[in-house]
Each structure stands twice: as C-alpha cells, then as structure tokens.
Amino acid sequence: MDIDRELNKEQAMAVRCTNGPVLILAGAGSGKTRTIVYRMAYLIGEMGVAPWNILALTFTNKAANEMKERIRDMIGERAGTMRVGTFHSICVRILFTHAEKLGYPPKFEIADTTDQKSIMKDVYKRLGVDPKRYPEKITINKISGAKDELMGPEEYASFAGMDFALKMISNIYTEYQKTLFSNGMMDFDDLIMNTVRLFNEFPEVLEEYRERFKYIMVDEYQDTNTSQFELIKLLSAKYRNLCVVGDDDQSIYRFRGANIYNILNFEKYYPDAYVVRLEENYRSTSNILDAANSVIKNNSERKPKALWTKEGEGEKIRYRQLDDAALEAAFIADDIRSRVSKGEREYGDFAILTRTNIQSKELEDALRIRSIDYDVVKGLKFWDTKVIKDLTAYLMTVDNGINEMRVRRIINIPKRGIGNASIDKISVFSRANNITFFEALSRIDNIPSVPAKTKAAVRSFYEMIVRIRKEGRDMSFSAILERIIEECSYLDYLLSEAESSEKYREQKEYIAKLKETLDAYEDETDEPDLTDFMRINGLEGNNLDKEGGDDPKNKVLIMTMHNAKGLEFPEVYMAGMEEGLFPGYASINSDDPMAVEEERRLCYVGITRAKERLTLTGARRRMVNGETRYSAASRFIKEIPGKFLNLNQAVEKTERRERIAPSNREAAHRYFEEKPPAFSTLKKGSDMEKKLPPYKEGDRVLHFKFGEGTVLSIADGGRDYEVTVEFDNVGVRKMFAGFAKLKLL
C-alpha cells in the first residue's frame, strides 16, 4: 500500500494521523470513502491494530457494506473481525447481550411501524385521546424526536411544563413506553437511547466496550444527532482515538434531528483535535465548484474551506428564467431531448433536482408528452401518489362508476366499516347478475350475507356518489373534487394518517395541484371529459413508446435535492430557483437564522452533484395552493458571480416583489387588467394582438405541453384565430393561436 502514490497529500495526512481526536473535513467529491478505507487498512497493516479493536459507524447499510467490501479487497479476510455498521445495528448487538440489565428479555423484540401503530391505538383508547386532534403518526414522530434528544418520559414531562398539548404528548409517551416495556419490546429509537442509558448506569459494561473499540471512526458526522453524539463520546472517552469524517456544508437533515453543531464544535469538545481539510474535488469542473463556493461562503455558521479541481473550467452554468412552471418544465425536457437526439448524451446522464416533491408534476408531464422515459427517485410519480390515486378514483366513480377497481379502492376510504369480505361478496353478486360493481351497491339489500351495519355504510357511500354526480352536472371538475373532499372528510382522513404536519401540508399541495390541472384542462378543451383527462395524463395505461428504450438505467431521473445527496451526474438541472420556493417562505420568515443557512447548504449539495454541465431554472409565476405566485429569482442565483454564469437575461431584471393573484378567475382577470405584471408575456382579452399564424393546414407543429401534432384547420374565432390540431399523444385539441404558441416544425 503506497499511500503517497495512491492518495493526495491531505488524504495521506488523514490516513497517517491515527492517535487522538481527528476531524476530517471532506468536501463534496473529495474522496472521503477512499480516505476512510485507507485509514482503516493502515491501522491494521502498518500500525498493527487488531481488526476487532476498530469500530466504524455509518448511517446506512449500503454505506457499511461498501466500506466492508473495499477494506476486504485491500487487506483480505482480516477485515472480517472489524465492526463496521450503522449506529442502530451496533446498538442492537450490544443490547442483545446486556438487555437484561435494563429489565428487558435477552431476546427482546424490535417494534416495527405496524407494531408502533397498533400499540399507539391501544394507548389512545386507554387515555381517551382524540386521534383527530393528536394524529397517531405525528405523535409517534414527536416521541421519536424526543428519544433522539435522549429525553425519556420523565424528561419530556419536565420539558412539557404547563403546555397543554405537550402535556398530552407526555402522557401518551409515558403510556407508550410502559406498553413497549411490558411486551418486551423496544422501538427503533430506543436502541441508541437505551444503549446510552446502559453505559451510564453500568460503568463495567461501558468499560468492556471501551476496551473492545479502541479506535472509532464515524462517517457523515455532520448528520449525527444528540443521542449519537453522546454514544460516541462515551465510547471514545478512554483512548480518545476518535476520527470523525464529514462536511458541515452538506448538513441538510436538521428536520430529522441532525445537529450541525456536533461537527462545528468538535474542536471545542476536543481542543487537541487534528484537523484535515479535503478540498480537492474529483467530480466537477472548476466553474461548477467556483459557483458552489460562492454560494456557501455566505453562510456564517461553517468551517472555512473551498473546493478546487485540476480539471478544466468546463461550461459556464446556465440560468434560464421562464414565464411559468409548465414552460420551465418544457424547456428542460426539450433541452434533454435535443442533447440526446444529437448523440451527445443518453437519457441516463441527466438528473432534474427539485426543492419539493410537488414540483415533479409539471416535469413529469413535459417528459411524458415527449415520450422521454423517466423515474422519480425515492418518491412516487405524481399520478401514482396515494392522495392522487384516491381522488382520481373518486372523480371517475362520480363520472361513470364503470371501473370496479376504482370503486373498490375508495369504498372504504376514509374508513366506513366496509370490510374486504363484504366487498368480495358484492363483487360476486355483480358478476352473477351481469351488472357493474357500482350498480351492485344499489342492490346491497339483496345480498343477505352482508351484515346490516355494512349495508348501511354501503348505501350511504352509494347515495353520496349519486348525489354528487347529480349536482355536479353544472359544476367544474375542480368544484366536483372539492365537493368530494368535503363530503367524505378526506382532509381529516389525511391528517389522521399523516406521519408529520409537513407530510400533511405536502398532501394538501398535491390536491391543489390536481385542482389546478383540472382547471387548466377545462380551459384548454372545448368538450372536457374526465375519461379524456385521465387518458392524456397517462392514467388509463401508459402505452407511450418511450425513446429511452427498455434499459431501466437509461432514464432521466427526477429527485429532490435531499435525495440527491451522495449521487453525481454528468448533467444536472436544478428547477425552481426562485424566492419563496428555494429558499422557501417558511425559512425566509423563520425567526431562526439557521433556517436559510440550511437551505443554502442544500443548494450547495445540488450544485455539487453536477460533473460537467449545470443548468439552473426558475419560473416568474407558479401556482401554489391554487394561487398564482409571482417571485423574484432565488437569492442563491444572485450569490453566483456573473463570470460563472451563462444568462438568458440579467438576474437584476427579475427582482420584483412577490404578488399573489386572487384564485377566483373573474377576480384574477380584473387583477391583470388593472395591474398587469411588467414581465408578463400574456395579454388578456382585447389587448391580445391578433395575428395570422405562421403555419397552415397540414403543417406539423409543436405545443409546449401536448408535443407534436398536425394542424387540421384554422378558423377566425373573433378575437383570435382558432386552431384545431391532432396531437400524436393526446388526440384532437382546439385552441386560440395566441395562447397556444404553436411552433412550426
């Protein structure tokens, strides 16, 4: 192992510094894992440290397994006795040996999410807690956060004080822990908290593991929480051979309990710590790195460092600001398709990063319309999310009720006491009588084996659907959707099922996006039909011929910036670079100055995912919860010096106060008439300039959303020319030329 030849100077220094506390500040793409693996191999091969005296802690099993394999490749089977694993897996091993000291059985069970939910339901019944006021999943999440901070039931009770809501959570927490303990169980969060408790209450056990693990290494140290910090501190206190590796500039998991001050204050806890900075980047071009450095240096709470590379400058970072989210998505999709059609890239070379999951909807539409294969990483595609599948099933049932699968999906959502056995009996009855499943619901009294209580619930469901169907004849699709949500208390159902208040807010945003999509469809279509709406959005089967081919890896990837951490791509698009979205209003308006700093770190992570080409995009206006929001360019764009940017316009021209237009269409029309946005390219009513389109019947044209098609006819529609186009993917559409902005091919 020739360290000086195989590693750079700073990496070699980190490897050779083996005794005492060591902080390795490893910038993005700086060879962090390589350095860790070489350091462990050096300890064993050159320093003579016994493999079983080394403990390496990671955050994921994937990272642990990769580390084990790479060490085994270097030093062979000697690596087998090293302990490399996640915090939780290491704690499980310790507790299985010593759990009896804490009163647990030696083979205690670990409660999974199903067990937790079952126990919590029982606790709620005993305490008479209203699950609508204190949703069970949110309560479990709060208890998890308390355990991350090493707050047991007694500590949490002191923390709650006289706050009524916190006192209720405290009472639930106490009863929940009693139930777990009486059943010989620990939940996932108990594993670290109880290991810390074991070490504090039984010094002889702590001494045993201090002697066992004389050299400790921690990966991704910036993501550690309070309980993990305390566990590491206890284990390393005797020999103090603690090496932590991380990057404070990539600390983006505060919402999961990560405490950035664990890494920022490392030298405060260990004044004699040796600090090594890994700043040479092996991933990105210098323009990308310089942009990342320019953004992150605006954070006050960080350790100074700057990424650099021996690679060339590369292309400048492109910034494009489009009028709205649909045009932003169309620009990205067209740009990707153009690169691939020229043979410059494959689809698998591209990643589109978003700040929030809800942004993926327009991007998915743009890619699907262009027959570009894609995947949403660590998340469902917009139309595959539970909330959207539930509500579109409701809409189609109100529309016709023909599809049995859709009716079966929603008949007990929210819960109405209609069990699977009764649903199956209804299905059998419908087939026997050659009628649809929905029609069978109207004859529920003719199915004798269904319990009376269930029959009443089925009748209530059927009558609700028929009532909405009748009243909805003169309503817009989005109004029908609103009526469905209200009639069946769907929002209450979502709240009761949500894991956190943030998840509930996200689901409400999905509903708002569905309403927006329904309104847009009705505006653009002469004879709107829900079945047609479902078809053009790929909900009646995805039969498009994808240009991406059958290779599952040859797909454009859409993911949030949080999910992109640790990944890299030749080409990256960061979408939604506007104030109010990134950084979000919650961070901008927060009393906590660290809120925007975490957003800036997330931007830094996004930028450093790109290897060769980075494109930043934003929208001047975007629909948010049913309202049109006008936003300036993100402050993060303005923090990148112009010399690193390829601009389609000066950033300064986009700096305007955010305005919210009324969601009511008539009021919105008046708003634009009285006070049109200075940067708007749209003109309403009589202000629209009527021009003969540059295409004729039979010409091939391109629509930013519907894709390519053939012009069937052009007619004078009064204020504008009405164009009828047969699109390849969505069929015939009529539209005004001024709004359609069809491009002649």
Side-chain angles (χ1 to χ4, degrees):
M1 184 170 62
D2 189 344
I3 292 175
D4 293 319
R5 185 174 61 84
E6 297 169 10
L7 302 176
N8 67 35
K9 179 182 176 182
E10 288 72 25
Q11 290 171 336
M13 288 169 58
V15 167
R16 288 195 173 98
C17 189
T18 57
N19 295 321
V22 179
L23 170 62
I24 302 176
L25 291 171
S30 62
K32 174 196 69 172
T33 304
R34 180 179 178 83
T35 304
I36 295 173
V37 169
Y38 267 79
R39 190 176 190 274
M40 287 190 283
Y42 183 82
L43 282 169
I44 297 169
E46 302 295 326
M47 300 296 294
V49 175
W52 55 85
N53 286 148
I54 298 174
L55 170 66
L57 294 166
T58 68
F59 275 85
T60 66
N61 288 318
K62 180 182 177 182
N65 291 333
E66 179 187 353
M67 208 173 287
K68 288 175 188 175
E69 290 175 8
R70 291 175 67 167
I71 296 169
R72 191 176 289 112
D73 288 343
M74 291 187 70
I75 64 173
E77 292 307 313
R78 286 182 297 169
T81 55
M82 287 181 57
R83 183 68 69 222
V84 180
T86 65
F87 281 89
H88 291 93
S89 67
I90 298 299
C91 287
V92 165
R93 287 177 173 271
I94 294 172
L95 289 171
F96 273 160
T97 305
H98 301 284
E100 287 179 291
K101 294 182 182 295
L102 298 177
Y104 289 88
K107 293 296 181 183
F108 63 88
E109 292 185 44
I110 300 174
D112 60 19
T113 52
T114 302
D115 296 325
Q116 286 182 292
K117 190 174 181 179
S118 177
I119 291 170
M120 195 59 76
K121 282 186 179 296
D122 185 49
V123 168
Y124 271 46
K125 284 182 181 178
R126 292 202 300 270
L127 297 181
V129 180
D130 182 1
K132 289 185 178 179
R133 188 169 182 182
Y134 299 94
E136 294 162 10
K137 289 187 177 181
I138 292 179
T139 300
I140 290 172
N141 197 42
K142 288 184 179 295
I143 292 172
S144 172
K147 292 180 179 182
D148 285 347
E149 293 298 316
L150 294 176
M151 295 174 66
E154 291 182 5
E155 291 84 1
Y156 196 86
S158 298
F159 166 73
M162 300 306 295
D163 185 292
F164 182 82
L166 291 179
K167 282 177 69 176
M168 179 58 75
I169 300 295
S170 174
N171 293 337
I172 297 170
Y173 184 8
T174 299
E175 194 66 22
Y176 171 77
Q177 284 302 107
K178 285 181 181 177
T179 306
L180 279 174
F181 185 77
S182 65
N183 284 280
M185 303 176 82
M186 297 185 200
D187 67 19
F188 200 62
D189 301 297
D190 282 324
L191 299 176
I192 298 178
M193 186 173 76
N194 279 339
T195 303
V196 171
R197 179 184 157 206
L198 175 73
F199 287 165
N200 282 324
E201 293 181 10
F202 299 93
E204 70 279 10
V205 177
L206 175 59
E207 180 64 19
E208 174 188 341
Y209 286 98
R210 281 176 173 173
E211 286 297 322
R212 168 73 186 273
F213 302 129
K214 295 180 180 179
Y215 291 85
I216 300 173
M217 296 190 68
V218 185
D219 190 17
E220 302 287 6
Y221 189 67
Q222 77 280 350
D223 294 334
T224 55
N225 59 31
T226 299
S227 63
Q228 292 159 341
F229 169 81
E230 190 64 24
L231 177 72
I232 296 162
K233 189 174 78 169
L234 286 168
L235 279 172
S236 63
K238 182 173 183 178
Y239 290 100
R240 303 182 77 253
N241 295 325
L242 172 64
C243 175
V244 301
V245 186
D247 182 6
D248 52 296
D249 290 336
Q250 296 187 74
S251 179
I252 58 174
Y253 295 119
R254 186 169 64 157
F255 67 96
R256 294 182 188 168
N259 186 350
I260 191 174
Y261 290 102
N262 288 349
I263 191 167
L264 291 179
N265 293 337
F266 187 81
E267 292 156 278
K268 175 182 175 182
Y269 300 122
Y270 302 96
D272 57 335
Y274 185 76
V275 181
V276 183
R277 287 174 169 79
L278 305 184
E279 297 170 296
E280 183 177 358
N281 178 280
Y282 295 92
R283 174 190 300 157
S284 308
T285 64
S286 65
N287 271 328
I288 291 171
L289 297 180
D290 288 340
N293 291 332
S294 299
V295 170
I296 200 63
K297 74 179 183 182
N298 290 280
N299 272 4
S300 59
E301 296 288 343
R302 67 182 293 263
K303 291 183 174 294
K305 55 189 165 305
L307 297 176
W308 61 276
T309 182
K310 293 177 182 176
E311 302 297 323
E313 287 185 359
E315 292 187 36
K316 287 187 176 182
I317 297 163
R318 294 188 303 165
Y319 171 61
R320 298 291 183 266
Q321 188 182 47
L322 291 305
D323 275 348
D324 58 35
L327 288 170
E328 177 191 34
F331 165 77
I332 292 172
D334 285 337
D335 197 51
I336 291 172
R337 185 168 63 173
S338 173
R339 300 273 287 170
V340 173
S341 65
K342 292 176 183 176
E344 297 172 352
R345 289 290 186 196
E346 294 186 348
Y347 286 114
D349 293 329
F350 297 92
I352 307 172
L353 309 186
T354 63
R355 177 61 185 88
T356 65
N357 287 313
I358 197 68
Q359 288 174 255
S360 75
K361 195 271 173 187
E362 286 86 2
L363 294 164
E364 291 181 52
D365 286 349
L367 294 170
R368 190 178 65 249
I369 289 295
R370 289 157 180 78
S371 301
I372 298 173
D373 212 355
Y374 70 92
D375 260 342
V376 178
V377 177
K378 289 189 178 179
L380 291 172
K381 296 178 180 179
F382 177 83
W383 297 105
D384 291 337
T385 57
K386 183 185 183 303
V387 62
I388 297 301
K389 289 179 81 69
D390 286 350
L391 293 177
T392 51
Y394 262 110
L395 282 170
M396 292 305 293
T397 300
V398 167
D399 186 50
N400 55 53
I402 295 172
N403 189 307
E404 178 177 337
M405 291 190 343
R406 296 192 195 280
V407 183
R408 288 179 68 124
R409 178 183 182 89
I410 60 172
I411 194 171
N412 203 39
I413 291 179
K415 287 182 171 38
R416 299 181 174 92
I418 305 173
N420 289 331
S422 294
I423 292 172
D424 289 340
K425 290 172 184 176
I426 297 168
S427 183
V428 170
F429 179 84
S430 71
R431 289 194 295 273
N433 289 274
N434 198 29
I435 58 176
T436 67
F437 182 86
F438 186 73
E439 288 175 307
L441 301 183
S442 67
R443 304 187 194 180
I444 189 65
D445 290 330
N446 296 333
I447 310 176
S449 55
V450 175
K453 191 174 180 180
T454 302
K455 286 181 178 179
V458 169
R459 279 195 298 272
S460 177
F461 170 76
Y462 177 81
E463 289 166 2
M464 178 189 71
I465 296 296
V466 171
R467 185 170 60 253
I468 296 174
R469 180 182 293 172
K470 182 179 179 181
E471 296 173 0
R473 289 170 184 164
D474 298 320
M475 297 165 64
S476 68
F477 292 159
S478 62
I480 295 172
L481 178 63
E482 189 64 49
R483 184 65 184 278
I484 291 168
I485 291 169
E486 181 182 346
E487 282 268 353
C488 68
S489 301
Y490 190 75
L491 290 181
D492 289 340
Y493 163 71
L494 287 182
L495 181 59
S496 68
E497 294 290 314
E499 298 173 0
S500 64
S501 55
E502 289 78 13
K503 182 66 176 177
Y504 176 62
R505 283 195 292 271
E506 180 184 275
Q507 289 174 324
K508 288 175 69 177
E509 289 176 1
Y510 273 90
I511 294 173
K513 183 64 69 176
L514 178 58
K515 290 179 184 176
E516 175 195 336
T517 308
L518 287 164
D519 284 339
Y521 168 75
E522 288 196 86
D523 286 345
E524 296 166 353
T525 310
D526 276 354
E527 297 181 4
D529 177 81
L530 275 172
T531 301
D532 178 60
F533 170 81
M534 301 287 276
R535 181 179 65 80
I536 67 172
N537 284 294
L539 303 180
E540 290 292 287
N542 241 341
N543 298 318
L544 296 175
D545 294 326
K546 305 292 187 185
E547 290 183 17
D550 295 327
D551 183 0
K553 294 182 180 179
N554 192 24
K555 296 180 180 181
V556 175
L557 298 182
I558 303 173
M559 67 188 77
T560 65
M561 278 171 251
H562 280 103
N563 287 332
K565 187 171 181 291
L567 304 177
E568 59 184 50
F569 306 92
E571 302 218 15
V572 168
Y573 297 83
M574 289 173 64
M577 299 294 293
E578 60 228 41
E579 287 289 293
L581 179 56
F582 194 32
Y585 280 115
S587 299
I588 293 171
N589 298 324
S590 173
D591 293 331
D592 181 3
M594 289 294 287
V596 169
E597 294 216 352
E598 175 135 344
E599 293 275 290
R600 188 174 282 110
R601 292 194 292 272
L602 190 57
C603 181
Y604 173 85
V605 167
I607 292 172
T608 54
R609 298 312 94 193
K611 297 168 67 175
E612 298 171 30
R613 196 172 190 236
L614 175 65
T615 302
L616 309 175
T617 65
R620 294 185 177 93
R621 62 177 177 270
R622 188 181 297 271
M623 289 293 291
V624 180
N625 291 326
E627 295 179 320
T628 302
R629 178 176 291 169
Y630 294 90
S631 300
S634 169
R635 66 189 66 190
F636 304 143
I637 296 288
K638 301 161 198 171
E639 291 171 356
I640 301 174
K643 62 183 178 180
F644 303 129
L645 291 170
N646 170 354
L647 299 171
N648 67 331
Q649 64 185 87
V651 176
E652 291 73 26
K653 293 182 181 178
T654 69
E655 295 183 14
R656 290 177 174 83
R657 285 184 177 272
E658 181 246 14
R659 294 199 294 267
I660 303 296
S663 56
N664 176 277
R665 293 184 193 173
E666 183 179 346
H669 180 77
R670 290 197 304 271
Y671 177 88
F672 282 112
E673 287 291 331
E674 295 165 5
K675 195 174 183 180
F679 49 78
S680 176
T681 59
L682 297 177
K683 295 185 178 181
K684 298 285 183 176
S686 59
D687 289 336
M688 177 176 289
E689 185 178 354
K690 182 177 176 181
K691 290 182 179 179
L692 187 66
Y695 42 79
K696 61 184 184 301
E697 292 180 12
D699 282 346
R700 294 285 290 172
V701 291
L702 175 68
H703 185 271
F704 76 93
K705 180 178 179 182
F706 298 139
E708 296 182 10
T710 302
V711 178
L712 299 181
S713 66
I714 302 173
D716 191 335
R719 65 189 176 109
D720 194 8
Y721 288 96
E722 188 177 77
V723 184
T724 303
V725 181
E726 183 174 6
F727 290 101
D728 299 344
N729 292 323
V730 300
V732 177
R733 291 286 181 274
K734 288 185 179 181
M735 58 199 73
F736 285 116
F739 283 112
K741 294 188 174 69
L742 296 170
K743 181 180 178 182
L744 179 64
L745 295 177

